[in-house]
Structure formats: structure tokens, C-alpha cells
Amino acid sequence: MNAPTPHSHLVPEINQRDVPEALLAALKSRFGANCSTALAVREQHGRDESSFVAPPPAAVVFAESTQDVADAVKLASDFSTPVIPFGIGSSLEGHLLAVQGGISIDVSRMNKVLAINAEDLTVTVQPGVTRKQLNEAVKSTGLFFPIDPGADASIGGMSATRASGTNAVRYGTMRENVLALEVVTASGEVIRTGTRAKKSSAGYDLTRLMVGSEGTLGVITEVTVRLYPLPEAISAAICSFPSIEAAVRTTIQVIQLGVLIARVELIDHNTVRMVNAHSKLGLREEPMLLMEFHGSPAGVKEQAETVQEIASEFGGTAFEWATTPEERTRLWTARHNAYFAAIQSRPGCRAISTDTCVPISRLADCLLDSVKEADASGLPYFLVGHVGDGNFHFGYLLDPNDPKEREVAEQLNHQLVARALALEGTCTGEHGVGLHKMEFLVTEAGVGAVDMMRTIKRALDPKNIMNPGKIFAM
Amino acid sequence: MNAPTPHSHLVPEINQRDVPEALLAALKSRFGANCSTALAVREQHGRDESSFVAPPPAAVVFAESTQDVADAVKLASDFSTPVIPFGIGSSLEGHLLAVQGGISIDVSRMNKVLAINAEDLTVTVQPGVTRKQLNEAVKSTGLFFPIDPGADASIGGMSATRASGTNAVRYGTMRENVLALEVVTASGEVIRTGTRAKKSSAGYDLTRLMVGSEGTLGVITEVTVRLYPLPEAISAAICSFPSIEAAVRTTIQVIQLGVLIARVELIDHNTVRMVNAHSKLGLREEPMLLMEFHGSPAGVKEQAETVQEIASEFGGTAFEWATTPEERTRLWTARHNAYFAAIQSRPGCRAISTDTCVPISRLADCLLDSVKEADASGLPYFLVGHVGDGNFHFGYLLDPNDPKEREVAEQLNHQLVARALALEGTCTGEHGVGLHKMEFLVTEAGVGAVDMMRTIKRALDPKNIMNPGKIFAM
């Protein structure tokens, strides 16, 4: 992995506090071999999938229980030292970087599925359980957990960043699918934020305050999420279009008609070309929609016909349908391999990924103008999108050793975000703010709303030890 | 309306602060005739649909704009005087009572539909718009707003209490359907809590912190909610069952199978009897399910067949189907009139309504034992439920002048809540905490979680002026 040159304006608050030797000694004494200060371990916990760099945390505690987390946080609190929760490290916006120093609490060993309540369509897991592990664990019940952000992320991390992904258009995001959490607060206390009831009006919605708080308000130590019956029938389809606009207009109409489509993903012609080169798929090198329908056999057929009709009106061609799991996997290969195919298309490059999300009717306006800008910039890029939700990702492929290219990429991102906000959208549909979107957040939410976030943070974490320096500056 | 004897243990924090004459003078000067101190107006704003009583607020400000609300809150803040937002007064748990004195801000004149974005399936309204008015306003777009708590509540009030109702089983609650809010904070500042994007990971979820906060963190002055395409086909059905258990077991199986039922409501035989007496419906006086299916004609037919098959297995009989709006309205009469029919079955009575919600598999356990207890108590009651969500309401019909009966009703409620919590449910599925469930909330959420709510409240409302004395004691 090439370490990019750090750009201080992208890591606004590198202000590492000293981690006292006495804390390290206390952690060693409490956790023994489960507390590591080895450089390789610390470095592995001091980065994520973003291109940011910062000095690594001073130690990594491998927690094996809620009590471990609570004890680690209490010790850190005693020494006013930052604590950064770590799942599997797949976050994208610098969430895991120790910009103010401190220790990392790795919860990946807390990976037990605690209770499968199939009869209630819920499951309770420890935060280190990954989404694939979760789905494997519930498979025999005929249920599944639909949230699929691409990476095999941990459920704790997905909760912390309010993740979503390809199935969100039908099943919602972590916001809609987390029922309850157990959380270790900044003082090391353990609280529960909800019950297994499907709905509740019992006081402040602490569950949803924690979901998306990126570790800045507490460490998630248990998650109860909703499950769904595996659809009786699943049908996947790909369809090529004469232009991105045609693919996008098809999507808009599908959503506006209320078709219960389970997935609708855009891949632009550039990216199809990269995927063809990478995976020898032989796809038409045109903009493409990948779709999936869930339901009864008759229902799926009906949805698919409606969508095919709409697509045809916009010039959609080369429909390919798949109903068996094997065929579906083949169709989805293009989407699943897009990121890696893109990265490999330019050896040594790093991707800067955008994440805007706009109301569905604004999708064409937001996307098409940004495509023009990206094309004009000369920077190679890939473009994929959860377009049914109005959410898409440009990945600008830049030479990490060329500050000029990074500047161009950041400029494109800025323009895209400004456009999305003007169209009543958000700077981040699913990746979170982390380090990268702190300025965008102020523009989007306004000073007053960010001040309110800050006030909540200050009240719940008076020593500012929970993943400090993320989402907003204090 | 019979004023019940107040029971101090039910209104734990009557501690009225003085409202300074100088504040009243300032409000009169700012708002003129839109600030009323007439006793009748104050009394009308000092109660809700609960049976609690407290002295009325000292004044009522009829706000006509966000600026009005901000100015009223700023003045109240200057004098550290409580502010109680008022929509249409349909809340059920004492939310509107001026238990600590103060002024009421009536937002019912803020009743404009600000922006119908049919192409995005969203609408933005002022808080005084009621759900019927909203649906009337969007009717011509082919869209609708599904949340139906029974009363023609204001959208602001529904947001503040995290309301839901009959359609929630399919469309979710206010939690899932509010996209963004404008809120006047405790200092009189105006903030926005979200955008019109369908999903976002941009910082703390202030929208959902405000939804369900019962006016204790701010006054909602604008609400953006999701809309849905009117289903191509709607089919309603009623079905009688030999026992409540049979009706409940049918419901559980329907939900577990993942049938996308839009409504599934239970009415017990007592309540059917009351409704027959009230509305001459001639229904079989047996436990009954009312159901509704939304979708394509074929999809609706398929769902209905699945459900009818399940119901038949549990002894369901006397199916009646309705597809035209008129026929559907007739079938739903029993449900819509249940409350009034029950109240009229015992002249002069008041109802104490329960609101527990449990995971679907626990519904039978929770409900059947509580029916036994209610029957044994001798107190008349009605029983209706959004059973598809595991949520149901006993309405104990008591003589407001008989403290003994109130005690019996409260005892039944206590036992029911204890049972629901033991079954991993919640004390309130949709009505909120208000004054009535403050103790239950502590049992349910735990001291630590309620302390966290209190810490947030203290941080965002340091003078404790926003609807104080509700949800939790400070």
C-alpha cells in the first residue's frame, strides 16, 4: 500500500495528546497480552480505507467482552486519553485515525452471535460480528440481514457509521434496522438504548443518536438488528443504456412508481470497461443498471416486467435475467469487483470516493453535471451508485505522490458536494463524516445544528475522549 | 367532560413556577391579540386526552410563523419560564399539562403545506397541518401519507410523540418517515436537522433525537415527511375468530412469513359488542381481525389468499372482503368507532389506555394473560391493537369519581407493563411517556439510559424551560 503524502488541511485537528506511561502500564496489567504496543499492530489500527495518514494509537486493546471495553474506557477516562473503537477497519473517511493520539479498542474478537430470535425477525450480536458471518449464522432460519455496504464490515462499525449499501432502496439503512444497542459510555458505564419491540415511544431515541455517531459518543458493545424472511423468489437483471442519463431516468421513474425494487445499481461505461479488463466479463461497455427483485414468483415477475418496460422506453437493451444463485452471482460480479478493477486499472493509485445523496428527482441534475466535470478534469475515475436512493460514488483514481492530482480530486468532490447540497441533498449518504467531510457538514447542517451536536458531545463526553476530532472540531 | 379527581402520584412534579407579569406584558406587546390570557383559552390548552389535571398555562401564544415561535421562546427563556408546544391537543399521556406552569405555544395556525415534492415522494409542512389535511393536499399527486394514529393529529405533534398507528406494520412510524425538521431550540435559535435526501450519514441524527422528544428539546416548526404512491389496489377484510388467541396466532404467523400486510388490527369480542351497540353493525360478537392489503391487483390477491389460508387454520370464519372505498370504510367503522363506542358504553366514564408493544412472538403471552387479569378485575374495558407490530391498547373504563377504580386500572396497567418489559418489549409503542409513564421508563431503559437523556436535556435546555416535567424528572 502506498502511503500518500498527508495534507494537513484534510486532517484538520492533528493534535496528539500524550498517552501517559501510567495508563499503558495499567492497560498492560489489566489486559496482559490483549494489550499490544507493537508498532505493526498499532499501525494496522491507525488507518482505514481512506487515504489519510496520522501517527498510530499508542496501544491496542483487544476486547473480548463488554466488561473489557468498559474497563479500558474507564482507564482511558482516568487519564483523559482518547479511545478509538475499531471493528475491521473498513471505514472510508479517516474514522479510525488517532489524530489526537490515544488507544484503539479492537472489538473484532467480540464476534459472537448472542441470540437469534427468528420468531421475532431479530438477532442480537456482538459488535465484531461481520455481516457475512451474521448471514451465515441465520441462514438456517430462512431469514437474512439485508444491509450490504460492499465490504464485509462489522455490525458495530456499520452501526457507528449508519451504513447502508445496495439493498437499502428496499430495506432501509442501519438507521431503520438497528432496534437496540448496548453501549459503553465515555465514563465507562454500560447502558442499553432500546428493547426488541419493533416500535417504541419511550423517551429519547438513544439508539439512533448512537447510530451514525462514529464512536464519538460511546463504544457499541452489542447490536440488535431486524431480519427479513428470505424472499421466495429473487430475480436479478442487467440492462445496458445508450447514456448515463437514460439509466438514471429509468431509475427515477421506477422509484417514483413505487416499484418495490430490492437493488438498483448504476455502473458507468468507464467502470464497465475496467471490470471487463479485470474479470473478463465481456459486458457491453455502456452505462448499465444492475437490478434485483424480491418477492413471490408472481410478484417478482410483475415488478421485473414493469421495470423492463420503463427501461425499454429509455433505450435500455441487452437485458439479461438471472434467477438461480449462480447466475445472479455472475451478474453481480461487475458490481462487486468494480472497486478493485478500478484500482488495478491504474497501478499504484488510491481512490478518493465521493458519497453525495440527493432526492431522487435531482439525481440526473446532480450526476450528469458531475460526470462532465470529472471528464473535463482528465483524472481517471470510476462511477457506481445506489441510484435508487439517489446515492452514488465517484472514485477518483489518483497518484498518491502527486499533490496536484489530489487537489483536482478534492476540487471535483467539493463541486459535487456543493451541487448536491444546492439540490437539497447530503454530502454523505452512507460513509459518514469522519475527518474528510467536517467542513461539508457545517455547510450542509448549518452552524446551529453542528453546535447542537457539539453540545451533546460535550455533555456526554466532557473529557472529549471518545474518538475526538471526528465529525466536527470541538 | 367530567373532571377526574387528581391523584398526585400520577402527576409527579407539579411545581408551578411563577410566570412574571413582565413576561406576560412582553408577550402581549409582541403578539397582541395572538397572546391570550383568557381562562377558557388557557384551560383548553392545559389538558389533553389523558385524564390528568393541572392548573392551566398562564398564557397562550398563537404562533403564525417560525419567527413567532422563536420570539416567544426567547422571551420565555429570558424569564426562565416553561414553554409547552400545542398542536391540536390529542396527546394521551398528559404531554400538554403545565405541571410547572409557563406558557403554551399553539402552532395550529401554522398550517400551511409548504412544498409538495411529488417527484421525490416528500412533502414539507408546518407543524399545525393535520394528517387528514396533509392527505387532502397531496391527493391529486397520487401519493399519500400513511401514518394514521386514529385522531386527526397535527404532524408536529405526531413527530413530537413518535406516533404511528394502523399502517405502521407496513410503512413504519414517524421515526422512519420524518426526513427533516426545522426546530426552535431552547435559546430561541432556529435549526434544521436534515435534508430531503432519503438517507444520510452526516453527523448525529438530530431528526430522530427530536422525533419523540415530546417538546422537551425544542419546538418543531417545520416537518418534511415521506410520501408513498397510492397502491394500485387496496383490499380490506374482516375475519372472526373463536378466541383472541386464534386471532393473535394468525397475526404472528402472517408477520413471521413476511406477508407485506398494510394493516392488521385486533378488536376483542367485548369491543365488537360495544361497537354493535353504538353503530348497529351486526358484527359477530367474537374477536375479530381487520386487515388491509396494498399493492398490485395480483399482489393484493396473493397476499389476501395467504392470510385467509392462515386464518382458516386457526378457525377464522365469516371473512368479508371489500375493495371499493365505500365498502372498506364500512368494514373499518368498527375500528374507527371503537373508542367512542366504548366510552358511550359506560356513561360518564374516562378511559385509561395502555400502550405496551412486544416482539411479535411474545404477543400472545403478553396479551392473553392481561386479558385474564382485566376480566378478573371486573372493570369494563375495550381492547384494540395494532397487533402486527405487537402493539395493543386496553382501555379501562372507569368512573372518574371512584378512586378505587382508578387504582384498579393503574394496577392492571402496571402488571401489563411489567409483563411486556419481561418479554423484551416497551411500555409505550406510540403514545409516548408524558407524565404517565415516567416510572415505567426508568424500569424499561434503566437508570443509566435515563440519565443520558437527562444529560442531553440539561445540555440543550439548561434553564429547563422546554415542556419540563415530562418523560423524566430532572
Side-chain angles (χ1 to χ4, degrees), chain A residues 117-121 143 161-165 168-170 173 175-176 179 185 189 191-193 195-206 208-214 216-217 226 229 252 255-258 260 296-299 302 355 357-362 386 388-389 391 423-433 441 444-445 447-457 459-460 471-472, chain B residues 117-121 143 161-165 168-170 173 175-176 179 185 189 191-193 195-206 208-214 216-217 226 229 252 255-258 260 296-299 302 355 357-362 386 388-389 391 423-433 441 444-445 447-457 459-460 471-472:
Chain A
N117 292 103
E119 70 288 3
D120 293 321
L121 304 108
L143 303 174
T161 53
R162 206 181 293 130
S164 47
V169 61
R170 169 141 186 185
T173 72
R175 178 174 79 188
E176 286 81 20
L179 278 174
T185 69
E189 208 189 338
I191 64 156
R192 288 191 167 274
T193 66
T195 70
R196 290 204 301 110
K198 190 180 155 213
K199 62 182 198 177
S200 173
S201 289
Y204 299 169
D205 194 342
L206 298 181
R208 262 141 291 271
L209 180 63
M210 291 294 164
V211 169
S213 65
E214 305 186 7
T216 65
L217 298 176
R226 294 176 65 176
I252 293 173
I255 298 300
Q256 288 176 340
L257 279 175
L260 277 180
S296 67
E302 196 173 42
D355 184 32
C357 181
V358 292
I360 191 73
S361 76
R362 314 298 180 93
H386 314 305
D389 284 325
N391 181 213
L423 295 168
E424 298 182 79
T426 176
C427 65
T428 174
E430 55 183 23
H431 294 171
V433 176
L441 179 66
E444 174 175 333
V447 172
V450 177
D451 269 346
M452 183 177 278
M453 296 181 200
R454 223 177 251 124
T455 303
I456 293 168
K457 164 80 169 164
L460 298 183
I471 306 182
F472 41 72
Chain B
N117 292 102
E119 69 291 2
D120 293 321
L121 305 110
L143 304 174
T161 53
R162 205 181 293 130
S164 47
V169 62
R170 168 139 187 189
T173 72
R175 179 174 79 189
E176 286 80 21
L179 278 174
T185 69
E189 207 189 340
I191 64 157
R192 291 192 165 271
T193 66
T195 70
R196 289 203 304 111
K198 190 180 156 212
K199 63 181 199 179
S200 172
S201 289
Y204 299 169
D205 193 342
L206 299 181
R208 261 140 293 271
L209 179 63
M210 290 295 162
V211 169
S213 65
E214 304 186 8
T216 65
L217 297 177
R226 295 175 63 177
I252 292 173
I255 298 299
Q256 288 176 341
L257 278 175
L260 277 181
S296 68
E302 196 173 44
D355 185 33
C357 181
V358 292
I360 191 73
S361 77
R362 313 298 179 92
H386 314 306
D389 284 326
N391 181 213
L423 294 167
E424 299 182 77
T426 176
C427 65
T428 175
E430 56 183 22
H431 293 171
V433 175
L441 178 66
E444 175 176 331
V447 172
V450 177
D451 269 347
M452 182 176 279
M453 296 182 200
R454 223 177 252 123
T455 303
I456 293 167
K457 164 79 169 163
L460 298 184
I471 307 183
F472 41 71

Side-chain angles (χ1 to χ4, degrees), chain A residues 328-455:
Chain A
R328 289 205 312 271
T329 303
R330 189 180 62 79
L331 289 197
W332 279 93
T333 303
R335 177 64 181 92
H336 281 133
N337 292 358
Y339 181 78
F340 298 105
I343 293 287
Q344 288 182 20
S345 73
R346 188 177 184 195
C349 77
R350 298 282 307 214
I352 286 191
S353 181
T354 71
D355 184 32
T356 50
C357 181
V358 292
I360 191 73
S361 76
R362 314 298 180 93
L363 181 62
D365 289 344
C366 187
L367 207 156
L368 300 175
D369 283 349
S370 299
V371 166
K372 273 184 220 149
E373 282 173 358
D375 286 341
S377 78
L379 207 59
Y381 66 90
F382 66 91
L383 171 60
V384 295
H386 314 305
V387 280
D389 284 325
N391 181 213
F392 57 87
H393 310 295
F394 280 92
Y396 308 117
L397 303 172
L398 50 92
D399 173 354
N401 301 310
D402 184 345
K404 187 94 186 61
E405 288 198 6
R406 179 182 286 270
E407 217 165 274
V408 171
E410 290 296 345
Q411 182 57 31
L412 289 170
N413 192 16
H414 262 82
Q415 284 161 214
L416 170 54
V417 169
R419 180 169 297 121
L421 299 190
L423 295 168
E424 298 182 79
T426 176
C427 65
T428 174
E430 55 183 23
H431 294 171
V433 176
L435 295 171
H436 196 199
K437 304 204 186 89
M438 290 168 61
E439 282 168 46
F440 295 149
L441 179 66
V442 179
T443 313
E444 174 175 333
V447 172
V450 177
D451 269 346
M452 183 177 278
M453 296 181 200
R454 223 177 251 124
T455 303

Side-chain angles (χ1 to χ4, degrees), chain B residues 165-431:
Chain B
T166 54
N167 277 312
V169 62
R170 168 139 187 189
Y171 298 95
T173 72
M174 291 304 275
R175 179 174 79 189
E176 286 80 21
N177 286 287
V178 175
L179 278 174
L181 297 170
E182 180 189 80
V183 175
V184 171
T185 69
S187 61
E189 207 189 340
V190 181
I191 64 157
R192 291 192 165 271
T193 66
T195 70
R196 289 203 304 111
K198 190 180 156 212
K199 63 181 199 179
S200 172
S201 289
Y204 299 169
D205 193 342
L206 299 181
T207 303
R208 261 140 293 271
L209 179 63
M210 290 295 162
V211 169
S213 65
E214 304 186 8
T216 65
L217 297 177
V219 184
I220 294 169
T221 49
E222 216 177 283
V223 189
T224 300
V225 294
R226 295 175 63 177
L227 299 173
Y228 297 82
L230 275 166
E232 205 185 333
I234 299 180
S235 174
I238 58 172
C239 174
S240 292
F241 288 87
S243 67
I244 294 180
E245 174 156 11
V248 167
R249 299 250 175 246
T250 297
T251 306
I252 292 173
Q253 198 160 326
V254 166
I255 298 299
Q256 288 176 341
L257 278 175
V259 178
L260 277 181
I261 197 163
R263 290 172 152 168
V264 51
E265 297 286 312
L266 171 72
I267 304 185
D268 82 325
H269 49 288
N270 275 328
T271 312
V272 175
R273 198 176 305 128
M274 293 171 187
V275 171
N276 272 344
H278 176 272
S279 315
K280 312 272 171 292
L281 294 179
L283 296 164
R284 288 165 75 118
E285 295 186 350
E286 288 175 349
M288 197 171 107
L289 287 181
L290 292 103
M291 296 166 283
E292 203 166 275
F293 306 94
H294 295 177
S296 68
V300 159
K301 188 162 169 286
E302 196 173 44
Q303 291 168 21
E305 281 167 4
T306 305
V307 170
Q308 181 152 354
E309 203 174 300
I310 296 169
S312 300
E313 274 173 32
F314 287 102
T317 51
F319 263 92
E320 253 194 85
W321 291 95
T323 46
T324 69
E326 297 70 28
E327 287 173 335
R328 289 205 312 271
T329 302
R330 191 180 61 80
L331 290 196
W332 279 93
T333 304
R335 177 65 183 89
H336 281 132
N337 292 357
Y339 180 79
F340 298 105
I343 293 287
Q344 288 184 17
S345 74
R346 189 178 184 194
C349 78
R350 298 283 307 217
I352 286 192
S353 181
T354 71
D355 185 33
T356 51
C357 181
V358 292
I360 191 73
S361 77
R362 313 298 179 92
L363 181 62
D365 288 346
C366 187
L367 207 157
L368 300 176
D369 283 350
S370 298
V371 166
K372 272 185 217 148
E373 283 173 354
D375 286 340
S377 78
L379 207 59
Y381 68 88
F382 66 91
L383 170 60
V384 295
H386 314 306
V387 281
D389 284 326
N391 181 213
F392 57 87
H393 309 297
F394 280 92
Y396 307 117
L397 303 171
L398 50 89
D399 173 355
N401 300 308
D402 183 346
K404 188 92 184 67
E405 288 197 6
R406 180 181 285 268
E407 217 164 274
V408 171
E410 290 297 345
Q411 181 59 30
L412 289 170
N413 190 16
H414 263 83
Q415 285 161 213
L416 170 53
V417 169
R419 181 169 297 121
L421 299 189
L423 294 167
E424 299 182 77
T426 176
C427 65
T428 175
E430 56 183 22
H431 293 171

Side-chain angles (χ1 to χ4, degrees), chain A residues 60 111 207:
Chain A
V60 178
N111 63 355
T207 303

Side-chain angles (χ1 to χ4, degrees), chain B residues 70-126:
Chain B
D71 288 352
V73 170
K74 261 183 221 151
L75 286 171
S77 172
D78 288 346
F79 291 91
S80 294
T81 296
V83 163
I84 305 160
F86 186 100
I88 67 148
S90 59
S91 61
L92 291 159
E93 300 292 355
H95 295 93
L96 300 173
L97 274 65
V99 289
Q100 298 193 18
I103 62 166
S104 172
I105 300 186
D106 183 320
V107 296
S108 62
R109 295 182 190 171
M110 294 175 67
N111 63 354
K112 284 190 203 67
V113 175
L114 298 170
I116 301 174
N117 292 102
E119 69 291 2
D120 293 321
L121 305 110
T122 74
V123 61
T124 300
V125 299
Q126 289 188 310

